[in-house]
Protein backbone atom coordinates (compact mmCIF):
# COMPACT_ATOMS: atom_id res chain seq x y z
CA UNK A 1 0.00 0.00 0.00
CA UNK A 2 2.83 2.36 0.84
CA UNK A 3 4.42 1.78 -2.57
CA UNK A 4 1.12 2.43 -4.38
CA UNK A 5 0.57 5.72 -2.54
CA UNK A 6 4.13 6.83 -3.23
CA UNK A 7 3.71 6.13 -6.94
CA UNK A 8 0.38 8.02 -7.01
CA UNK A 9 1.90 11.03 -5.31
CA UNK A 10 4.85 11.09 -7.72
CA UNK A 11 2.55 10.81 -10.73
CA UNK A 12 0.37 13.71 -9.60
CA UNK A 13 3.37 15.89 -8.88
CA UNK A 14 5.25 15.10 -12.09
CA UNK A 15 2.32 15.15 -14.52
CA UNK A 16 2.23 18.96 -14.99
CA UNK A 17 5.98 18.96 -15.63
CA UNK A 18 5.70 16.23 -18.24
CA UNK A 19 2.85 18.00 -20.05
CA UNK A 20 4.76 21.28 -20.05
CA UNK A 21 7.86 19.63 -21.48
CA UNK A 22 5.85 17.90 -24.19
CA UNK A 23 4.18 21.12 -25.35
CA UNK A 24 7.47 23.02 -25.64
CA UNK A 25 9.92 20.35 -26.75
CA UNK A 26 10.72 22.28 -29.96
CA UNK A 27 11.26 25.71 -28.40
CA UNK A 28 11.56 27.69 -25.17
CA UNK A 29 9.07 30.29 -23.97
CA UNK A 30 10.10 33.78 -25.12
CA UNK A 31 8.67 36.01 -22.41
CA UNK A 32 9.36 36.15 -18.68
CA UNK A 33 9.16 38.97 -16.18
CA UNK A 34 11.94 40.23 -13.93
CA UNK A 35 10.98 37.64 -11.29
CA UNK A 36 11.47 34.77 -13.73
CA UNK A 37 7.74 34.09 -14.09
CA UNK A 38 6.41 33.11 -17.51
CA UNK A 39 4.35 35.80 -19.28
CA UNK A 40 1.61 35.08 -21.81
CA UNK A 41 2.25 37.40 -24.75
CA UNK A 42 3.46 37.70 -28.32
CA UNK A 43 3.95 39.98 -31.32
CA UNK A 44 2.08 40.53 -34.58
CA UNK A 45 2.62 42.98 -37.42
CA UNK A 46 3.64 43.63 -41.01
CA UNK A 47 6.28 45.47 -43.05
CA UNK A 48 6.25 47.62 -46.17
CA UNK A 49 9.00 49.07 -48.38
CA UNK A 50 9.45 52.84 -48.53
CA UNK A 51 11.30 54.79 -51.23
CA UNK A 52 13.17 57.60 -49.49
CA UNK A 53 14.07 59.35 -52.75
CA UNK A 54 10.48 59.74 -53.97
CA UNK A 55 9.39 62.44 -51.47
CA UNK A 56 6.02 60.72 -51.66
CA UNK A 57 3.41 63.28 -50.56
CA UNK A 58 0.49 61.06 -51.60
CA UNK A 59 1.49 58.40 -49.10
CA UNK A 60 0.57 54.74 -48.70
CA UNK A 61 -2.26 53.06 -46.81
CA UNK A 62 -1.91 49.58 -45.33
CA UNK A 63 -4.45 47.56 -43.34
CA UNK A 64 -4.20 43.90 -42.39
CA UNK A 65 -6.37 41.46 -40.52
CA UNK A 66 -4.66 39.29 -37.90
CA UNK A 67 -5.08 36.22 -40.14
CA UNK A 68 -3.33 37.97 -43.05
CA UNK A 69 -0.20 39.02 -41.20
CA UNK A 70 3.09 37.23 -41.78
CA UNK A 71 4.95 35.08 -39.29
CA UNK A 72 7.47 37.33 -37.51
CA UNK A 73 10.99 36.08 -36.82
CA UNK A 74 13.07 38.44 -34.67
CA UNK A 75 16.75 37.50 -34.50
CA UNK A 76 19.56 38.79 -32.30
CA UNK A 77 22.82 38.62 -34.23
CA UNK A 78 26.25 40.19 -34.82
CA UNK A 79 28.65 40.61 -37.73
CA UNK A 80 31.24 38.43 -35.97
CA UNK A 81 28.84 35.60 -35.10
CA UNK A 82 29.57 32.52 -37.22
CA UNK A 83 26.87 30.44 -35.50
CA UNK A 84 24.41 33.13 -36.58
CA UNK A 85 25.23 32.40 -40.22
CA UNK A 86 24.87 28.64 -39.76
CA UNK A 87 21.57 28.81 -37.89
CA UNK A 88 20.20 31.46 -40.29
CA UNK A 89 20.82 29.09 -43.20
CA UNK A 90 18.77 26.40 -41.44
CA UNK A 91 16.04 28.94 -40.64
CA UNK A 92 15.91 30.08 -44.28
CA UNK A 93 15.51 26.46 -45.39
CA UNK A 94 12.74 25.92 -42.86
CA UNK A 95 10.96 29.09 -44.04
CA UNK A 96 11.02 28.13 -47.72
CA UNK A 97 8.31 30.13 -49.49
CA UNK A 98 6.22 30.75 -46.36
CA UNK A 99 4.92 34.23 -45.57
CA UNK A 100 7.61 35.26 -43.08
CA UNK A 101 9.18 38.59 -42.14
CA UNK A 102 12.67 38.52 -40.61
CA UNK A 103 14.07 41.33 -38.44
CA UNK A 104 17.72 41.31 -37.35
CA UNK A 105 18.72 43.03 -34.11
CA UNK A 106 22.46 43.68 -34.19
CA UNK A 107 24.53 43.80 -31.03
CA UNK A 108 25.22 47.48 -30.35
CA UNK A 109 25.96 48.28 -26.70
CA UNK A 110 29.71 47.99 -25.92
CA UNK A 111 30.20 46.48 -29.37
CA UNK A 112 33.21 47.77 -31.38
CA UNK A 113 33.01 45.17 -34.17
CA UNK A 114 29.41 45.57 -35.36
CA UNK A 115 28.39 48.93 -36.90
CA UNK A 116 24.64 48.27 -36.93
CA UNK A 117 21.89 48.60 -34.37
CA UNK A 118 21.11 51.45 -31.98
CA UNK A 119 20.15 52.17 -28.39
CA UNK A 120 16.46 51.82 -29.24
CA UNK A 121 16.90 48.38 -30.84
CA UNK A 122 18.87 47.11 -27.84
CA UNK A 123 16.24 48.49 -25.45
CA UNK A 124 13.40 46.78 -27.28
CA UNK A 125 15.23 43.44 -27.33
CA UNK A 126 16.31 43.47 -23.68
CA UNK A 127 12.95 44.73 -22.38
CA UNK A 128 10.95 42.24 -24.43
CA UNK A 129 13.12 39.10 -24.52
CA UNK A 130 16.06 39.79 -22.22
CA UNK A 131 14.70 37.87 -19.22
CA UNK A 132 14.02 34.76 -21.33
CA UNK A 133 17.49 34.85 -22.92
CA UNK A 134 19.04 35.28 -19.50
CA UNK A 135 17.24 32.18 -18.21
CA UNK A 136 18.59 30.22 -21.20
CA UNK A 137 22.09 31.60 -21.54
CA UNK A 138 22.90 33.79 -18.53
CA UNK A 139 22.76 37.23 -20.19
CA UNK A 140 20.06 39.23 -22.03
CA UNK A 141 21.91 39.88 -25.31
CA UNK A 142 23.31 36.67 -26.75
CA UNK A 143 23.77 35.84 -30.43
CA UNK A 144 22.27 33.90 -32.05
CA UNK A 145 18.80 34.00 -30.53
CA UNK A 146 15.61 33.70 -32.58
CA UNK A 147 12.03 34.49 -31.51
CA UNK A 148 9.00 33.48 -33.59
CA UNK A 149 5.80 35.55 -33.26
CA UNK A 150 7.13 36.99 -30.02
CA UNK A 151 6.28 33.69 -28.30
CA UNK A 152 8.70 30.88 -29.17
CA UNK A 153 12.42 31.22 -28.51
CA UNK A 154 15.34 29.32 -30.07
CA UNK A 155 18.54 30.14 -28.24
CA UNK A 156 22.01 29.50 -29.63
CA UNK A 157 22.75 26.61 -31.96
CA UNK A 158 21.48 23.81 -29.74
CA UNK A 159 18.39 21.84 -30.74
CA UNK A 160 15.55 21.08 -28.33
CA UNK A 161 14.47 18.12 -30.46
CA UNK A 162 16.48 15.95 -32.85
CA UNK A 163 17.57 18.88 -35.03
CA UNK A 164 17.34 22.64 -35.46
CA UNK A 165 15.42 22.05 -38.68
CA UNK A 166 12.74 20.19 -36.73
CA UNK A 167 12.69 22.94 -34.09
CA UNK A 168 12.35 25.79 -36.58
CA UNK A 169 9.81 23.97 -38.76
CA UNK A 170 7.58 23.20 -35.77
CA UNK A 171 7.84 26.74 -34.47
CA UNK A 172 7.04 28.34 -37.85
CA UNK A 173 4.11 26.01 -38.50
CA UNK A 174 2.40 26.53 -35.13
CA UNK A 175 0.25 29.32 -36.53
CA UNK A 176 -1.88 31.92 -34.72
CA UNK A 177 -2.77 31.15 -31.11
CA UNK A 178 -6.40 32.12 -31.72
CA UNK A 179 -6.54 34.77 -28.99
CA UNK A 180 -6.14 37.79 -31.26
CA UNK A 181 -8.69 39.20 -33.69
CA UNK A 182 -9.20 42.45 -35.59
CA UNK A 183 -7.09 44.70 -37.80
CA UNK A 184 -4.15 47.06 -37.57
CA UNK A 185 -3.52 49.83 -40.09
CA UNK A 186 -0.73 52.22 -41.02
CA UNK A 187 -0.85 55.28 -43.27
CA UNK A 188 2.45 56.93 -44.07
CA UNK A 189 3.72 59.77 -46.20
CA UNK A 190 6.88 61.82 -46.48
CA UNK A 191 7.20 65.56 -45.97
CA UNK A 192 10.68 66.85 -46.75
CA UNK A 193 13.01 65.11 -44.27
CA UNK A 194 10.31 63.44 -42.19
CA UNK A 195 8.04 60.40 -42.50
CA UNK A 196 4.59 60.80 -40.98
CA UNK A 197 3.11 57.60 -39.51
CA UNK A 198 -0.64 57.46 -38.84
CA UNK A 199 -1.37 54.20 -36.99
CA UNK A 200 -4.55 52.57 -35.71
CA UNK A 201 -4.98 49.39 -33.64
CA UNK A 202 -8.42 50.26 -32.23
CA UNK A 203 -10.12 47.16 -33.67
CA UNK A 204 -7.51 44.77 -32.29
CA UNK A 205 -8.68 42.69 -29.33
CA UNK A 206 -7.77 39.56 -27.37
CA UNK A 207 -10.38 36.90 -26.66
CA UNK A 208 -9.88 36.66 -22.90
CA UNK A 209 -11.70 37.67 -19.74
CA UNK A 210 -8.42 38.78 -18.23
CA UNK A 211 -6.94 42.25 -18.51
CA UNK A 212 -4.55 42.70 -21.43
CA UNK A 213 -2.31 45.35 -22.95
CA UNK A 214 -1.30 46.22 -26.52
CA UNK A 215 1.90 48.14 -27.30
CA UNK A 216 2.44 49.25 -30.91
CA UNK A 217 5.88 49.89 -32.40
CA UNK A 218 7.31 51.49 -35.54
CA UNK A 219 10.45 49.69 -36.71
CA UNK A 220 12.81 51.09 -39.36
CA UNK A 221 14.70 48.35 -41.20
CA UNK A 222 17.41 48.43 -43.88
CA UNK A 223 16.81 45.52 -46.23
CA UNK A 224 20.49 45.06 -47.19
CA UNK A 225 23.74 46.58 -45.90
CA UNK A 226 27.18 45.83 -47.31
CA UNK A 227 29.87 45.44 -44.63
CA UNK A 228 32.86 43.37 -45.82
CA UNK A 229 34.73 43.85 -42.52
CA UNK A 230 32.44 41.48 -40.65
CA UNK A 231 34.35 38.42 -39.44
CA UNK A 232 31.58 35.85 -40.05
CA UNK A 233 32.04 35.94 -43.83
CA UNK A 234 28.64 37.32 -44.83
CA UNK A 235 29.62 40.78 -46.17
CA UNK A 236 25.99 41.61 -47.02
CA UNK A 237 23.69 41.75 -44.01
CA UNK A 238 19.93 41.58 -44.46
CA UNK A 239 16.89 42.88 -42.53
CA UNK A 240 19.02 45.19 -40.35
CA UNK A 241 16.93 46.92 -37.68
CA UNK A 242 17.93 50.59 -37.46
CA UNK A 243 15.46 52.03 -34.95
CA UNK A 244 12.61 50.74 -32.76
CA UNK A 245 10.10 53.40 -31.74
CA UNK A 246 7.50 52.63 -29.08
CA UNK A 247 4.14 54.34 -29.70
CA UNK A 248 2.20 55.64 -26.72
CA UNK A 249 -1.01 53.61 -26.59
CA UNK A 250 -1.67 54.04 -22.86
CA UNK A 251 -4.57 56.43 -23.55
CA UNK A 252 -5.33 56.01 -27.26
CA UNK A 253 -5.31 53.09 -29.66
CA UNK A 254 -4.37 55.31 -32.60
CA UNK A 255 -2.11 58.26 -33.24
CA UNK A 256 0.33 60.11 -35.48
CA UNK A 257 4.10 60.26 -35.14
CA UNK A 258 6.62 62.26 -37.18
CA UNK A 259 10.03 60.60 -37.60
CA UNK A 260 13.17 62.06 -39.21
CA UNK A 261 14.39 60.17 -42.26
CA UNK A 262 16.86 57.54 -41.07
CA UNK A 263 20.46 57.38 -42.24
CA UNK A 264 20.90 54.14 -44.17
CA UNK A 265 24.22 52.32 -44.29
CA UNK A 266 24.07 52.20 -48.09
CA UNK A 267 21.47 52.23 -50.88
CA UNK A 268 17.80 53.19 -50.63
CA UNK A 269 16.10 50.08 -49.29
CA UNK A 270 14.15 51.15 -46.23
CA UNK A 271 11.40 48.94 -44.83
CA UNK A 272 8.90 50.11 -42.24
CA UNK A 273 7.19 47.73 -39.81
CA UNK A 274 4.16 48.25 -37.59
CA UNK A 275 4.35 45.70 -34.78
CA UNK A 276 2.06 45.19 -31.80
CA UNK A 277 3.20 43.46 -28.62
CA UNK A 278 0.29 41.86 -26.75
CA UNK A 279 0.32 40.78 -23.15
CA UNK A 280 -2.34 39.06 -21.05
CA UNK A 281 -2.29 40.28 -17.47
CA UNK A 282 -3.69 37.35 -15.51
CA UNK A 283 -5.40 37.83 -12.17
CA UNK A 284 -4.00 36.02 -9.09
CA UNK A 285 -6.31 33.08 -9.86
CA UNK A 286 -4.28 32.52 -13.00
CA UNK A 287 -1.09 31.89 -11.04
CA UNK A 288 1.11 28.87 -11.87
CA UNK A 289 0.27 27.23 -8.53
CA UNK A 290 -1.82 24.04 -8.76
CA UNK A 291 -5.58 24.40 -8.27
CA UNK A 292 -7.10 23.78 -4.80
CA UNK A 293 -8.35 20.33 -5.81
CA UNK A 294 -4.82 19.19 -6.58
CA UNK A 295 -3.53 20.72 -3.34
CA UNK A 296 -6.25 18.89 -1.40
CA UNK A 297 -5.44 15.60 -3.12
CA UNK A 298 -1.72 15.93 -2.42
CA UNK A 299 -2.40 16.82 1.21
CA UNK A 300 -4.73 13.84 1.66
CA UNK A 301 -2.21 11.46 0.11
CA UNK A 302 0.55 12.86 2.29
CA UNK A 303 -1.51 12.41 5.45
CA UNK A 304 -2.46 8.86 4.44
CA UNK A 305 1.12 7.98 3.63
CA UNK A 306 2.35 9.41 6.94
CA UNK A 307 -0.30 7.49 8.85
CA UNK A 308 0.72 4.21 7.21
CA UNK A 309 4.39 4.73 7.92
CA UNK A 310 3.96 5.59 11.60
CA UNK A 311 4.63 2.68 14.00
CA UNK A 312 1.46 1.07 15.34
CA UNK A 313 1.03 1.30 19.10
CA UNK A 314 0.07 -2.01 20.63
CA UNK A 315 -2.55 -1.96 23.33
CA UNK A 316 -1.84 -4.51 25.98
Amino acid sequence: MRVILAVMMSAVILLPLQVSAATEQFWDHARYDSDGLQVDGGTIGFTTHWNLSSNNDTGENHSYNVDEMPILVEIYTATWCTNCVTTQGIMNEAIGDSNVEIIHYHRHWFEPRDPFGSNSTEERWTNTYGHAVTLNGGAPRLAPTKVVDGERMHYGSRANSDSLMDDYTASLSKGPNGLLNGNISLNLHQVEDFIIFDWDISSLAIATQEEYSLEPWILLIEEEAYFPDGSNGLETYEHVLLEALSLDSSKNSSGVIEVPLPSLWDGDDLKVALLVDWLVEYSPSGSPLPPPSIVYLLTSLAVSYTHLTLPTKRIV
Side-chain angles (χ1 to χ4, degrees):
M1 185 64 179
R2 297 178 186 177
V3 175
I4 295 175
L5 285 173
V7 171
M8 289 175 62
M9 290 179 65
S10 300
V12 172
I13 294 171
L14 294 177
L15 181 59
L17 300 178
Q18 293 169 346
V19 171
S20 175
T23 55
E24 294 189 1
Q25 70 180 80
F26 294 102
W27 57 78
D28 299 303
H29 194 74
R31 292 175 185 258
Y32 290 84
D33 63 16
S34 57
D35 296 322
L37 299 177
Q38 183 173 309
V39 177
D40 191 2
T43 305
I44 61 170
F46 62 85
T47 67
T48 181
H49 289 86
W50 184 256
N51 187 353
L52 290 175
S53 62
S54 65
N55 196 23
N56 190 347
D57 291 328
T58 59
E60 295 181 0
N61 302 323
H62 302 274
S63 180
Y64 290 90
N65 186 271
V66 168
D67 296 333
E68 301 172 325
M69 295 178 199
I71 300 167
L72 292 174
V73 180
E74 299 173 86
I75 300 174
Y76 197 82
T77 187
T79 58
W80 46 260
C81 176
T82 54
N83 279 342
C84 297
V85 179
T86 303
T87 57
Q88 185 63 58
I90 300 172
M91 175 61 77
N92 291 342
E93 188 177 350
I95 290 172
D97 57 359
S98 301
N99 184 20
V100 174
E101 287 290 346
I102 298 175
I103 302 170
H104 280 149
Y105 295 68
H106 277 258
R107 188 176 174 87
H108 174 72
W109 286 337
F110 314 110
E111 178 53 68
R113 294 179 290 171
D114 193 324
F116 305 123
S118 65
N119 288 338
S120 67
T121 66
E122 291 279 50
E123 287 166 0
R124 169 170 166 77
W125 180 268
T126 54
N127 292 338
T128 308
Y129 307 121
H131 296 307
V133 185
T134 300
L135 287 175
N136 278 278
R141 301 180 302 118
L142 299 175
T145 302
K146 299 171 175 60
V147 178
V148 180
D149 289 335
E151 302 179 50
R152 303 176 291 282
M153 174 170 288
H154 304 275
Y155 163 69
S157 56
R158 62 174 173 81
N160 283 9
S161 64
D162 292 336
S163 68
L164 283 177
M165 175 61 74
D166 289 344
D167 287 359
Y168 296 163
T169 301
S171 189
L172 293 167
S173 63
K174 186 176 186 296
N177 56 31
L179 291 177
L180 292 167
N181 57 77
N183 300 273
I184 63 175
S185 65
L186 178 67
N187 301 331
L188 61 163
H189 64 278
Q190 184 175 332
V191 177
E192 296 181 349
D193 294 332
F194 292 88
I195 304 178
I196 313 299
F197 298 94
D198 186 347
W199 54 274
D200 189 342
I201 63 169
S202 58
S203 73
L204 192 64
I206 300 179
T208 177
Q209 295 182 350
E210 306 289 345
E211 294 291 327
Y212 65 85
S213 62
L214 301 171
E215 183 177 6
W217 292 76
I218 292 292
L219 269 56
L220 305 180
I221 304 163
E222 187 165 0
E223 190 62 10
E224 288 187 354
Y226 180 66
F227 181 63
D229 295 333
S231 58
N232 61 7
L234 269 188
E235 295 192 352
T236 298
Y237 296 87
E238 299 180 329
H239 322 298
V240 178
L241 181 58
L242 305 174
E243 297 289 345
L245 310 172
S246 177
L247 305 174
D248 184 9
S249 62
S250 58
K251 297 181 179 179
N252 302 304
S253 55
S254 62
V256 178
I257 183 174
E258 185 179 273
V259 178
L261 295 180
S263 298
L264 301 183
W265 182 260
D266 53 25
D268 180 20
D269 53 350
L270 178 67
K271 287 179 69 174
V272 174
L274 174 61
L275 302 188
V276 180
D277 290 332
W278 59 272
L279 179 68
V280 177
E281 301 170 357
Y282 288 106
S283 61
S285 61
S287 70
L289 294 175
S293 59
I294 296 298
V295 175
Y296 178 77
L297 174 60
L298 291 175
T299 304
S300 301
L301 289 173
V303 171
S304 300
Y305 182 74
T306 303
H307 175 72
L308 288 174
T309 56
L310 289 175
T312 303
K313 183 178 180 180
R314 296 185 60 186
I315 299 177
V316 178

